[in-house]
């Protein structure tokens, strides 16, 4: 029988070439994962997540010691889907010195003077480290597709008005993204992309909670409510982006986001599964170095 890692990874992986329709993907956990012969429940999920966090801490240390790979984890979602919470809970056991989180906001005037990959490229994790992009270069085929007028701020050759931003334009961008991700993958960066799939009903609930709770007022703005009006447009933009850019070297995973505990568990399990594929080991030192270490140990033991 397949273990929980395989079940969860296979269930939410978007295989290359898949034509994604988000209505075919769950937004909530449907009691369809088993643990020790029983349906996985929230209490079990927390135990498993704690175990996964311990394993991730070990794997991160090996990643740093091995010094050949880096890991880039990308989170994309509609507002209030739980990106920040997922980062906080899953990565809490990892050495903060080896993890960098980047939350990309509206590009600055300086960033707009470069190609749209520039600000993301300079934030890529170095070898031995984990980088987390809370929103990413995908905003350039998501929010800009819903609001194509934003493209005009990029001053692109051949784009003189919004009518020039057609389907051919977006297909070119998908190809650019795949080239970018293939390049960094071939140079040692493991790319994992997560779409946190929240329902419109659950988003409404979380928006109201943020409005009613003074401690959470800062988490919501009038702009969030405005963007909610474009729900169908965003769903289409995500479907197109995921369909066109899920590859063997940079796969997408569509994770149910209505139940936060399961969202965090699924992400943690998938990250751990991908880490295991690297077969990382601690570096072995030479016989000469071992002999020198034994001498040093003996000297330390003989200190008064």
């Amino acid at each position: 029988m397949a273990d929980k890692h395989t079940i969860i990874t296979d269930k939410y992986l978007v295989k290359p070439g898949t034509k994604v329709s988000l209505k075919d993907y769950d937004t909530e956990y449907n009691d369809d994962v088993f643990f020790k012969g029983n349906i996985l429940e929230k209490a079990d999920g927390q135990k498993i997540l704690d175990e996964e966090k311990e394993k991730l801490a070990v794997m991160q240390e090996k990643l740093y010691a091995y010094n050949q790979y880096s890991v880039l984890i990308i989170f994309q979602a509609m507002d209030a889907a739980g990106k920040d919470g997922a980062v906080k809970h899953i990565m809490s056991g990892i050495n903060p010195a080896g993890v960098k989180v980047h939350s990309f906001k509206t590009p600055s005037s300086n960033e707009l003077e470069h190609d749209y990959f520039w600000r993301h490229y300079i934030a890529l994790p170095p070898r031995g480290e984990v980088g987390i992009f809370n929103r990413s270069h995908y905003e350039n085929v998501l929010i800009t597709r819903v609001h194509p007028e934003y493209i005009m701020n990029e001053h692109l050759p051949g784009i003189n008005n919004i009518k020039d931003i057609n389907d051919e334009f977006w297909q070119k961008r998908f190809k650019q993204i795949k080239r970018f991700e293939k390049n960094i993958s071939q140079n040692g960066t493991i790319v994992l992309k997560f779409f946190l799939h929240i329902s419109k009903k659950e988003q409404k609930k979380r928006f109201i909670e943020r409005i009613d709770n003074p401690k959470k007022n800062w988490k919501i703005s009038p702009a969030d409510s405005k963007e909610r009006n474009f729900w169908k447009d965003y769903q289409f933009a995500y479907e197109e982006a995921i369909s066109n850019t899920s590859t063997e070297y940079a796969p997408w995973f569509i994770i149910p986001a209505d139940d936060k505990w399961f969202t965090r568990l699924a992400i943690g399990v998938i990250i751990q599964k991908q880490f295991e594929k690297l077969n990382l080991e601690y570096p072995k030192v030479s016989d000469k170095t071992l002999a020198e270490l034994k001498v040093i140990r003996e000297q330390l033991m003989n200190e008064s």
Side-chain angles (χ1 to χ4, degrees):
M1 180 181 292
D3 65 8
K4 60 184 180 295
H5 297 78
T6 303
I7 293 170
I8 290 176
T9 300
D10 290 350
K11 181 174 177 61
Y12 301 117
L13 170 67
V14 179
K15 295 180 180 179
T18 301
K19 180 64 176 175
V20 172
S21 176
L22 288 175
K23 70 177 188 301
D24 297 331
Y25 291 81
D26 295 330
T27 61
E28 58 185 4
Y29 171 55
N30 287 324
D31 297 334
D32 52 0
V33 176
F34 290 84
F35 176 62
K36 295 183 178 179
N38 298 311
I39 293 174
L40 179 68
E41 306 217 357
K42 185 174 181 178
D44 297 320
Q46 186 56 55
K47 292 177 183 178
I48 296 171
L49 181 56
D50 289 341
E51 293 172 1
E52 297 305 311
K53 287 194 288 188
E54 291 181 6
K55 293 177 184 176
L56 282 172
V58 174
M59 293 304 292
Q60 183 216 12
E61 187 174 62
K62 289 182 178 180
L63 181 75
Y64 180 81
Y66 203 74
N67 198 39
Q68 286 191 10
Y69 298 100
S70 60
V71 176
L72 174 62
I73 301 169
I74 293 172
F75 289 115
Q76 290 285 162
M78 298 294 287
D79 291 321
K83 299 185 303 298
D84 293 337
V87 172
K88 177 181 177 181
H89 283 80
I90 297 164
M91 298 299 166
S92 60
I94 290 182
N95 184 343
V99 180
K100 301 293 187 299
V101 180
H102 299 273
S103 297
F104 293 98
K105 307 294 184 182
T106 302
S108 66
S109 57
N110 179 51
E111 290 168 341
L112 286 169
E113 293 303 319
H114 298 78
D115 69 84
Y116 66 91
F117 289 111
W118 179 75
R119 65 174 181 160
H120 306 288
Y121 196 87
I122 60 176
L124 287 173
R127 300 188 195 284
E129 293 190 13
V130 176
I132 298 175
F133 284 4
N134 186 344
R135 302 196 188 279
S136 66
H137 48 285
Y138 279 94
E139 292 297 294
N140 295 280
V141 291
L142 293 169
I143 190 169
T144 54
R145 189 153 193 177
V146 176
H147 301 287
E149 63 273 18
Y150 294 168
I151 293 290
M152 303 309 297
N153 296 326
E154 298 181 27
H155 307 294
L156 297 173
I159 305 299
N160 301 309
N161 55 62
I162 291 180
K163 291 181 180 180
D164 295 325
I165 307 169
N166 52 25
D167 187 61
E168 182 182 1
F169 174 88
W170 299 115
Q171 289 301 319
K172 285 182 179 178
R173 286 222 154 171
F174 295 143
K175 290 178 181 178
Q176 291 164 3
I177 287 172
K178 286 194 289 186
R179 285 201 301 268
F180 169 70
E181 293 174 349
K182 188 172 186 178
N183 178 51
I184 63 175
S185 173
Q186 290 178 336
N187 284 276
T189 298
I190 309 304
V191 184
L192 301 174
K193 302 177 296 193
F194 295 94
F195 173 60
L196 277 54
H197 189 24
I198 189 173
S199 66
K200 194 173 184 180
K201 178 181 178 181
E202 180 65 19
Q203 188 196 59
K204 174 183 176 180
K205 175 186 172 184
R206 294 182 188 180
F207 275 7
I208 292 173
E209 287 175 351
R210 291 179 176 187
I211 293 169
D212 291 345
N213 186 344
K215 294 181 179 180
K216 293 185 177 182
N217 287 168
W218 64 274
K219 288 187 173 185
I220 188 167
S221 70
D224 296 333
S225 178
K226 177 184 175 183
E227 292 306 301
R228 180 175 163 83
N229 294 325
F230 296 96
W231 184 273
K232 289 184 179 179
D233 297 318
Y234 275 108
Q235 296 295 289
F236 174 75
Y238 272 110
E239 289 172 345
E240 284 284 285
I242 296 171
S243 296
N244 282 280
T245 62
S246 193
T247 60
E248 294 287 349
Y249 51 83
W252 274 104
F253 297 88
I254 299 178
I255 309 296
D258 284 3
D259 299 291
K260 292 180 181 179
W261 71 270
F262 185 75
T263 305
R264 295 162 184 170
L265 171 63
I267 293 170
V269 165
I270 290 169
I271 294 173
Q272 173 61 20
K273 183 72 172 180
Q274 302 308 305
F275 260 126
E276 289 177 353
K277 290 181 180 179
L278 297 177
N279 294 317
L280 298 177
E281 298 291 344
Y282 291 109
K284 293 182 179 180
V285 300
S286 66
D287 292 340
K288 178 182 178 182
T289 300
L290 279 175
E292 291 173 343
L293 292 176
K294 287 181 180 179
V295 172
I296 293 172
R297 184 183 189 282
E298 185 175 343
Q299 291 172 345
L300 291 170
M301 294 297 293
N302 290 331
E303 283 184 0
S304 57

